[in-house]
Amino acid sequence: MLEVASLGSGSSGNATLVRSKTTTLLIDCGFTLKESLKRMASLGVAPSDLTAVLISHEHSDHVKGIGPLSRKFGVPIHLTHGTYRRLRDNRLLAYELFHAHAPFTLGDIEVDPFPTPHDAAESCQFVLQHNGVSFVVATDMGVCTPYILKKLAGVNGVLIECNYDDEMLRNGPYPPSLQHRIRGNFGHLGNVQAGPVLRAIDHPRLNRILLGHLSEKNNTEDCARNTVLASLPQAADRVTVLKQHTASPWFAITGESMPIENNASHTEALLADGGQK
Ligand SMILES: [Zn+2]
Ligand SMILES: [Zn+2]
């Protein structure tokens, strides 16, 4: 079993805890150190419990607290070379570089990173696996590529990006250039893209679907949930929308992964569906 909890998710800060019995990983640290520690404490986690921190990319909503966390507690920070180059000013105390195509192990959790199309130096996300149970973070990506779909296929839990509602973005406060960036292939997944992706990867042992990285200006919890469930009505009792300003409870991720081949037909359906932009 894996357990997952969000310290908060949205355009102004992201951090996710993933743990087995003996290993606790923090994925991104997009809140101030003080706020991160407060939210971790509410979930019963102290900084000394962290085995390592994984960084997906250098945008401030993912790294705000990373320098202080590193310097104060010396937790090893794992990141790609491209992300490290952009973060050098953060003076990380202990860090390890990984290759975004090369799996590695932290404690007893296998980390399988994959590159994401996003407007950052070398952004990636992660499949985390322990004893055959897997969880994937899939946020900060302009489009779900066939390669990413393969990484997502068969997982038991997913945190997927629902950044914006189409109409709210169009009618919202953002200038056209920024709207264009968000919608672009190196921007963010919207509600309407997330549904078909989930439909493509749904299987009987996908037992937890977390919707995250919502924009506070261009989305609402109801919009995200309703749009996704329009594509995947059978998932109503498995879907939770993560919040920006409060930590989630712990979610248990159980079950066995399914072989990728089993999902091939769904993947083809997704691509035929126009789920890709
Ligand atoms: Zn982000
Ligand atoms: Zn980003």
Side-chain angles (χ1 to χ4, degrees), residues 9-172:
S9 181
S11 291
S12 40
N14 296 275
T16 310
L17 289 164
V18 179
R19 73 179 179 191
S20 64
K21 277 205 166 66
T22 61
T23 301
T24 301
L25 305 179
L26 177 65
I27 303 173
D28 292 331
C29 188
F31 302 98
T32 62
L33 179 62
K34 189 177 165 200
E35 190 64 27
S36 303
L37 296 183
K38 193 175 105 188
R39 296 191 192 193
M40 282 201 307
S42 76
L43 289 157
V45 175
S48 56
D49 296 328
L50 296 177
T51 310
V53 181
L54 293 162
I55 300 291
S56 64
H57 64 297
E58 72 274 18
H59 289 163
S60 65
D61 57 316
H62 298 263
V63 300
K64 196 176 287 167
I66 204 68
L69 180 71
S70 169
R71 292 192 296 276
K72 187 151 189 197
F73 298 102
V75 191
I77 313 292
H78 294 254
L79 67 183
T80 61
H81 185 256
T83 302
Y84 173 70
R85 280 174 61 89
R86 295 286 173 88
L87 282 182
R88 275 190 294 196
D89 290 348
N90 281 262
R91 291 183 290 118
L92 303 177
L93 197 62
Y95 64 90
E96 294 274 344
L97 301 182
F98 63 81
H99 191 287
H101 283 285
F104 55 99
T105 303
L106 294 170
D108 60 8
I109 296 180
E110 290 161 44
V111 181
D112 186 9
F114 56 91
T116 46
H118 192 52
D119 51 2
E122 193 183 356
S123 67
C124 63
Q125 286 296 356
F126 309 97
V127 181
L128 296 315
Q129 189 156 334
H130 169 74
N131 267 354
V133 179
S134 57
F135 174 78
V136 66
V137 180
T139 69
D140 298 83
M141 52 176 73
V143 66
C144 186
T145 63
Y147 180 74
I148 294 176
L149 261 186
K150 280 192 179 170
K151 290 288 179 187
L152 268 57
V155 295
N156 304 111
V158 58
L159 192 180
I160 193 162
E161 172 162 50
C162 287
N163 186 257
Y164 62 91
D165 171 75
D166 251 340
E167 212 167 302
M168 285 184 74
L169 179 60
R170 196 176 314 117
N171 301 322

